[in-house]
Amino acid sequence: MGLYAEWPLIEFFPLNSVQSSLSIFSKKTSDDMAKLLLHEIGENLNGRICLKIDTEEQLSWVLQVVSYALTLSHSTSKEHEALCVAVRTYCTWLDAISNGIVAHLPGPMRRNPGNYICILLDSLRTLFNNDSETAVTATQQAHEMENVLRTIVQSLLNYDGKHKDIIWPAVLKFLLNATDLLLSGQTCVDDVTFLMAPKVTKTLLDVFLCAARLEQIPSPTYWKTLSVLSKRWRHQINIRIALIFFLLLVNLHNSNEEI
């Protein structure tokens, strides 16, 4: 590993490591409750109703419900609709936090926005599992992935300078884990990995380059993790070639700085 031999790898929490309150019920009941509740959360986002989320306990429960909805499938229109609302909710909140426009955020998030960046990103990783069953659901899943990636890039471009020490490490870690979730398994034509591999890896590398240019990469641990994870993506030949050249360029740059 050369320059990074002494540095540890980033450890990622397992997906859904925090159980939702809905999980204590049967799957059918949990799914039905999530669909009903996400409908109202969507109405709140659209300004048709006003949900008052004023306490940490209330927000924690809402986060559990929204995160549960992110595990729904695209197999039925109701589940797809609830999942889309869940994605839009977290993307809207991330965008508001990064822009510093917190007036319409839930109370606890408005008071301490930096505390929730990692929580929101951690839940959104679920979308990057390759679990679509048909070409149609793969396309739907890919669309939601694109929404998340777009929000993340915009949040980095537009953030107001606050929470810099939180948002950059959190986004880099998210992109590393999301890319690995998507690319480390098997793939076939027209599945979500086939559709999204170029977009996800381009976003990952673009953000890494931007972070390096702005000196926002916290430690060589991030470079080492990128290098190690990319070896798991062997079936993505073009991606591997791009990453090899990318890492060679980074190593050359770092070596020149040490001379």
Side-chain angles (χ1 to χ4, degrees):
M1 194 62 64
L3 293 171
Y4 311 132
E6 74 278 13
W7 291 89
L9 293 172
I10 295 173
E11 294 186 11
F12 303 110
F13 289 114
L15 292 179
N16 306 315
S17 55
V18 178
Q19 288 296 310
S20 168
S21 298
L22 295 182
S23 299
I24 66 176
F25 303 102
S26 68
K27 178 168 172 43
K28 182 181 184 307
T29 299
S30 299
D31 289 358
D32 288 344
M33 290 175 65
K35 286 181 280 189
L36 287 170
L37 293 168
L38 264 294
H39 176 74
E40 290 214 356
I41 291 172
E43 293 290 280
N44 179 68
L45 285 178
N46 294 331
R48 297 192 182 101
I49 62 174
C50 181
L51 297 178
K52 292 186 177 181
I53 308 171
D54 296 326
T55 68
E56 294 279 355
E57 292 76 13
Q58 289 172 338
L59 180 55
S60 174
W61 190 80
V62 170
L63 290 172
Q64 290 180 52
V65 171
V66 177
S67 294
Y68 182 90
L70 290 171
T71 69
L72 296 174
S73 72
H74 298 274
S75 57
T76 69
S77 60
K78 290 293 185 182
E79 287 193 34
H80 172 69
E81 181 182 328
L83 193 155
C84 291
V85 171
V87 173
R88 186 158 69 92
T89 299
Y90 278 2
C91 286
T92 299
W93 289 349
L94 278 171
D95 186 61
I97 290 172
S98 65
N99 288 326
I101 305 172
V102 298
H104 300 294
L105 289 173
M109 199 176 290
R110 185 168 61 249
R111 292 187 289 271
N112 298 293
N115 293 349
Y116 292 92
I117 294 171
C118 293
I119 293 173
L120 300 179
L121 288 173
D122 187 60
S123 294
L124 286 169
R125 294 178 303 149
T126 306
L127 290 176
F128 290 79
N129 262 335
N130 185 353
D131 53 10
S132 293
E133 298 176 354
T134 68
V136 172
T137 57
T139 301
Q140 291 172 326
Q141 185 179 357
H143 179 72
E144 296 309 315
M145 287 182 184
E146 288 180 343
N147 288 337
V148 171
L149 295 176
R150 188 182 308 112
T151 296
I152 287 173
V153 170
Q154 288 301 316
S155 70
L156 291 174
L157 292 175
N158 299 329
Y159 84 106
D160 62 357
K162 297 178 181 178
H163 319 299
K164 178 175 65 176
D165 295 336
I166 299 174
I167 193 168
W168 276 103
V171 166
L172 290 169
K173 185 176 179 180
F174 168 83
L175 288 173
L176 284 167
N177 195 192
T179 305
D180 188 53
L181 287 169
L182 184 67
L183 300 185
S184 59
Q186 297 298 315
T187 187
C188 61
V189 176
D190 291 335
D191 73 359
V192 71
T193 299
F194 179 84
L195 295 174
M196 286 300 296
K199 177 70 173 180
V200 171
T201 50
K202 182 181 186 304
T203 303
L204 171 69
L205 297 183
D206 284 351
V207 170
F208 257 84
L209 284 173
C210 182
R213 180 171 56 83
L214 297 175
E215 299 183 347
Q216 292 300 326
I217 295 180
S219 76
T221 287
Y222 288 76
W223 292 117
K224 180 177 180 178
T225 303
L226 173 61
S227 178
V228 170
L229 291 182
S230 68
K231 295 173 184 176
R232 294 154 54 102
W233 311 334
R234 296 182 184 279
H235 58 285
Q236 302 289 344
I237 298 174
N238 292 334
I239 293 168
R240 287 278 294 144
I241 292 172
L243 280 168
I244 288 169
F245 280 107
F246 177 75
L247 291 168
L248 284 173
L249 179 63
V250 170
N251 282 327
L252 179 62
H253 173 73
N254 288 341
S255 298
N256 289 338
E257 284 190 340
E258 291 184 354
I259 295 175

